[in-house]
Amino acid sequence: GRAFQLPHADRWVVYVTDPQLVKEISTIPPNRLSLLEASNDMLQAPYTGIHQEQQIIDIIKYRLVRSWTSIVPTVYEEAAEALSQYIPSTTGALLINYLLCLLICRRSPEWTAVPAFATVSDVTSRIAARMFVGLPKAHDMEYTRLSAEWAHGVINAGVVLNMFPKILRPLVCWIHNPPAHTLKLVFKNIASLIEERKSLLATKDLEKSDRHNDLLSWLIQGDTANAMDPLLITRKLLSVNFATIHTLSSVGTHVLYYLAAHPEYVEPLRAEITSALGQGHGIKHALDHMYTLESFLKESLRFNFIVSMLRKAIQPITLSDGSHLPIGTLLMVSPLPVHMSSELYEDAEVFDGFRFHKAESQSPNQMAIPSLDYFPFGYGSLACPGRLIAVSLLKVLLTHILLGYDIKLQGDTRPADKWIGTLCFPNDLAKIFFRKRVKQ
């Protein structure tokens, strides 16, 4: 149960798995053990351009989450449009899809092979754009493509840069730094919109207009200390985009693979979704009452969320187990040993999509409530501020896929995950077969 160290390319990192230590870490204030400093360090903020600060966390907590009920219908609509755009019509499928269907699926060419990770990423980028900048920018394909490109590029650049000593990182970035180049392109794309919103704010029209009640406007309103610097606002916007696109692309693809690998869950999930939507109480109410779907999502994350809390020691810290963290130490919390504990979960190594539906009372959003038995979103006051929204977005995505499509694996087994050190990513090359369902 003690903390332990594992070597990374450039340093030793302290790992914690014991629930009591997790609880202890969650109570240590940010001026001693910082999430923001750790994140900027791991993602190499000076080179990638990512910008994370308390203002962004506060906006997510106090503006985005509180506005979520009014935002959900728009997001639900956007997800349907995006899926129809990025999953090609099976009518008139390309020859390559025709042959793949015949050879692999042994089904009619109504089935279309779709790259799972890229498709979920594209759809997520569209949804994020609709939430954060609104229309018409959300339908600007260059903007959504660049946003996703930057989000995934930050992860890759962070991994690469952390392999080199600090003294060599400027040279590495001078030779090859895709996120910095993409940041310039995004700024060029969105600069005029930022100036337009700034002008509206100056005339007080922005605060009266529900049309612009989105993240971009909130960032501009809260950036007076920096004279509403357009480049800084772009970096902040992209940083929230990063958290949304990277997390939902990875988790959404994991879930999609589990769904395709376990077709026995499809009909029960469809039945629950249809029933919830048919109650006529609105999209938010329906999503909150999809308990079986939430159980399936929760079980998927139980298997695949390897690191859930990241911190950097700002002051020397000694934990209750005697572990000493000098200044600059990176600390990560891994929930996997707890999530795979046979003492907590019966048949812990077996995927059971109904596990949490059977074990928990039927109250909304149990997945977003951290506990010491289940903490993919962290624990305590510094748990992921957008976790409720993340769960809702996953439900939106799966609702449209389940009601709109039949799905099938390309092979016989779930695509193998990809590991980079202690980080687990879904297979980004595997394809899923989709077939448009005929509405009854």
Side-chain angles (χ1 to χ4, degrees):
R2 291 194 60 181
F4 58 92
Q5 292 187 98
L6 288 177
H8 283 220
D10 65 325
R11 73 189 90 194
W12 288 83
V13 176
V14 174
Y15 281 82
V16 167
T17 60
D18 181 79
Q20 294 310 310
L21 285 179
V22 172
K23 184 177 182 180
E24 178 183 345
I25 289 165
S26 72
T27 65
I28 300 176
N31 64 334
R32 299 186 64 210
L33 204 56
S34 172
L35 164 63
L36 293 177
E37 289 294 327
S39 181
N40 287 332
D41 196 346
M42 287 292 290
L43 298 174
Q44 292 297 307
Y47 303 109
T48 60
I50 196 167
H51 184 93
Q52 301 179 94
E53 61 176 51
Q54 189 61 42
Q55 181 215 13
I56 296 174
I57 295 175
D58 291 342
I59 286 176
I60 294 172
K61 276 185 176 180
Y62 304 118
R63 301 295 294 269
L64 187 59
V65 172
R66 291 180 181 180
S67 303
W68 187 238
T69 299
S70 62
I71 294 173
V72 166
T74 300
V75 167
Y76 190 81
E77 171 191 285
E78 191 65 34
E81 293 181 13
L83 281 166
S84 66
Q85 176 181 341
Y86 291 110
I87 299 178
S89 171
T90 54
T91 303
L94 295 174
L95 177 60
I96 185 65
N97 285 328
Y98 180 91
L99 294 175
L100 283 172
C101 288
L102 290 180
L103 294 174
I104 298 175
C105 282
R106 294 182 176 85
R107 297 284 186 92
S108 74
E110 294 176 345
W111 291 88
T112 301
V114 174
F117 181 81
T119 302
V120 175
S121 176
D122 288 338
V123 172
T124 301
S125 184
R126 271 275 297 269
I127 293 171
R130 185 70 181 268
M131 286 194 299
F132 299 154
V133 298
L135 293 175
K137 181 58 71 175
H139 291 172
D140 180 341
M141 293 189 66
E142 180 186 18
Y143 173 75
T144 56
R145 177 184 62 79
L146 289 172
S147 296
E149 184 179 307
W150 188 83
H152 300 310
V154 166
I155 286 288
N156 295 333
V159 170
V160 171
L161 287 169
N162 279 307
M163 294 179 179
F164 291 87
K166 289 183 180 180
I167 195 171
L168 291 180
R169 288 171 189 167
L171 176 61
V172 174
C173 285
W174 180 75
I175 296 171
H176 186 66
N177 187 9
H181 175 67
T182 307
L183 173 59
K184 293 177 182 178
L185 295 177
V186 175
F187 178 63
K188 181 180 179 181
N189 180 284
I190 203 171
S192 61
L193 179 60
I194 294 174
E195 292 302 327
E196 177 187 323
R197 296 287 184 90
K198 287 169 62 177
S199 298
L200 286 171
L201 178 62
T203 60
K204 304 299 181 182
D205 287 345
L206 184 66
E207 295 176 283
K208 299 177 182 178
S209 175
D210 290 337
R211 178 185 174 191
H212 299 305
N213 192 32
D214 55 32
L215 177 68
L216 178 58
S217 296
W218 299 333
L219 288 172
I220 293 172
Q221 290 169 348
D223 197 52
T224 52
N226 294 292
M228 294 185 284
D229 176 5
L231 180 58
L232 181 59
I233 290 168
T234 302
R235 291 174 60 197
K236 291 180 179 181
L237 176 65
L238 282 176
S239 297
V240 183
N241 256 328
F242 161 80
T244 306
I245 295 172
H246 169 67
T247 301
L248 291 181
S249 296
S250 295
V251 174
T253 306
H254 277 308
V255 173
L256 191 58
Y257 288 154
Y258 280 118
L259 186 63
H262 295 278
E264 66 272 18
Y265 291 104
V266 169
E267 289 307 323
L269 291 174
R270 280 177 179 158
E272 179 188 61
I273 291 168
T274 302
S275 173
L277 291 172
Q279 292 177 14
H281 299 302
I283 297 300
K284 175 68 164 56
H285 182 275
L287 294 174
D288 287 346
H289 290 78
M290 294 178 187
Y291 304 115
T292 308
L293 179 59
E294 183 166 320
S295 174
F296 191 91
L297 294 170
K298 193 170 181 178
E299 180 74 346
S300 299
L301 264 72
R302 186 177 72 86
F303 272 79
N304 287 105
F305 229 93
I306 311 303
V307 175
S308 66
M309 293 169 68
L310 176 66
R311 301 288 188 271
K312 183 176 181 179
I314 308 302
Q315 300 176 11
I317 293 172
T318 301
L319 301 177
S320 59
D321 69 343
S323 301
H324 180 65
L325 309 178
I327 294 175
T329 301
L330 276 184
L331 179 146
M332 295 184 180
V333 170
S334 174
L336 196 60
V338 171
H339 291 179
M340 291 290 112
S341 170
S342 57
E343 296 180 3
L344 296 173
Y345 298 102
E346 184 179 353
D347 296 324
E349 301 292 332
V350 176
F351 183 92
D352 180 358
F354 294 158
R355 179 186 302 275
F356 295 99
H357 179 58
K358 293 180 291 189
E360 297 175 349
S361 60
Q362 291 194 350
S363 56
N365 303 309
Q366 289 291 310
M367 183 176 172
I369 302 174
S371 72
L372 292 177
D373 293 344
Y374 185 87
F375 45 92
F377 295 112
Y379 183 81
S381 61
L382 291 179
C384 172
R387 60 191 183 274
L388 177 63
I389 294 174
V391 172
S392 292
L393 289 176
L394 287 168
K395 288 182 179 180
V396 167
L397 182 66
L398 267 293
T399 292
H400 284 301
I401 289 175
L402 282 161
L403 294 185
Y405 303 91
D406 294 318
I407 63 172
K408 181 181 177 70
L409 288 174
Q410 186 174 18
D412 295 328
T413 59
R414 184 185 184 277
D417 294 327
K418 182 173 72 174
W419 290 81
I420 301 177
T422 57
L423 301 178
C424 177
F425 298 96
N427 189 310
D428 58 352
L429 299 177
K431 293 185 176 182
I432 294 287
F433 282 92
F434 281 79
R435 181 174 63 185
K436 187 74 175 176
R437 296 182 71 221
V438 178
K439 293 184 180 181
Q440 301 297 321

